[in-house]
Amino acid sequence: MKIIAVLGTGHMGTSIAHRLLAGGNRVRVWNRSPERSEPLAAVGATVAASPSAAVDGADVVVVMLADADAVETALFGPDGAATALRPGTVVVQMSTIGPDEVRAVAGRLPAGVSLLDAPVGGSVDAARAGTLAIFAGGSADAVERAAPVLEQLGSVRHCGPIGVGAAVKLVANTGLVTAVAALHDALTVAAALGVDRQTALDVLGRGALAGAVGRVTAPGASFAVALAAKDARLALRRPVPAPVLAAALDLMQAAPDQDADLSSLVSAEHLKGC
């Protein structure tokens, strides 16, 4: 039985912890807001008071946090996990952060600790079902050692060295947010022309925007607009022309509820204000 630490018990971290508990693992969890972790205690997780306490003696450490600042604090801040990591531990960094930040983290971990850059495709429903797409960057050895844990969460694709997993995730999210923005425009045109919303969704769901229609109509998905916008900004840090992505970012930044799921961009209520 492996000891797995999960740093971050937001929507995705909690779903991952549930899945790992169901697989018979010993799971320790930590979150900056401890009350977010309490429901996991009721189903068998150990709630740690600090990141260092969570990872002490762990075989695998899963990091699922909102952004690079949160990762920095959890790993290298006061009572950070890095102080308690033992040689042989694999740190699976699943947060969506930039490739440069991932490589910087790898360079600061203690000797003998391996980093696997492993952001995911899929939301809380996929995490609970064990059907995430995991984009792994790192050594083949680290992938092999983390595989028994990661395969409980979904399918693993080894994309290349450290940082490539993060890059692939930004590519995937660029496709997602631009498709949702295109769906926003298509539904806005439908409303202006008097086309019934469900008819428009049915037609669009059989064409090029089928994936976007499936995503925004799926139950159980949770990807806050603010986090999607953060990922778009990460992708746009490279000096390449990406006008469609830039327009999608403008749409997300203008959304009135930044904590709502990305699907809110095409909700009937949202489109009324367009």
Side-chain angles (χ1 to χ4, degrees), residues 23-211:
N25 302 286
R26 292 173 57 192
V27 177
R28 298 194 199 124
V29 297
W30 170 84
N31 197 71
R32 182 175 57 183
S33 301
E35 65 274 8
R36 297 289 297 272
S37 300
E38 289 305 324
L40 288 164
V43 291
T46 299
V47 178
S50 67
S52 60
V55 308
D56 187 21
D59 301 293
V60 175
V61 176
V62 173
V63 182
M64 179 57 89
L65 295 163
D67 54 31
D69 288 342
V71 173
E72 168 76 19
T73 299
L75 292 178
F76 305 112
D79 287 326
T83 62
L85 292 170
R86 65 181 183 180
T89 302
V90 180
V91 176
V92 182
Q93 203 304 109
M94 305 188 96
S95 321
T96 302
I97 61 177
D100 294 339
E101 287 84 353
V102 170
R103 287 187 281 266
V105 167
R108 295 173 64 189
L109 291 177
V113 174
S114 299
L115 180 70
L116 195 61
D117 168 28
V120 303
S123 191
V124 293
D125 49 347
R128 284 183 177 259
T131 57
L132 291 169
I134 302 170
F135 311 124
S139 69
D141 176 68
V143 173
E144 183 178 353
R145 286 190 288 134
V149 172
L150 296 182
E151 287 170 357
Q152 296 176 56
L153 302 175
S155 59
V156 183
R157 180 180 183 127
H158 190 188
C159 300
I162 287 289
V164 177
V168 170
K169 176 62 184 291
L170 294 181
V171 170
N173 278 5
T174 295
L176 171 62
V177 300
T178 53
V180 171
L183 183 59
H184 168 278
D185 283 9
L187 290 173
T188 300
V189 170
L193 295 174
V195 176
D196 173 74
R197 176 182 172 84
Q198 191 55 55
T199 298
L201 285 170
D202 289 345
V203 170
L204 293 166
R206 290 171 171 79
L209 291 178

Side-chain angles (χ1 to χ4, degrees), residues 67 170 174 177 225-238 245 249-250 252-253 258:
D67 54 31
L170 294 181
T174 295
V177 300
V225 172
L227 294 179
K230 177 263 297 181
D231 295 352
R233 286 190 291 270
L234 286 174
L236 288 167
R237 289 195 307 192
R238 295 295 191 272
L245 179 57
L249 177 58
D250 288 342
M252 291 185 287
Q253 291 180 151
Q258 292 288 303

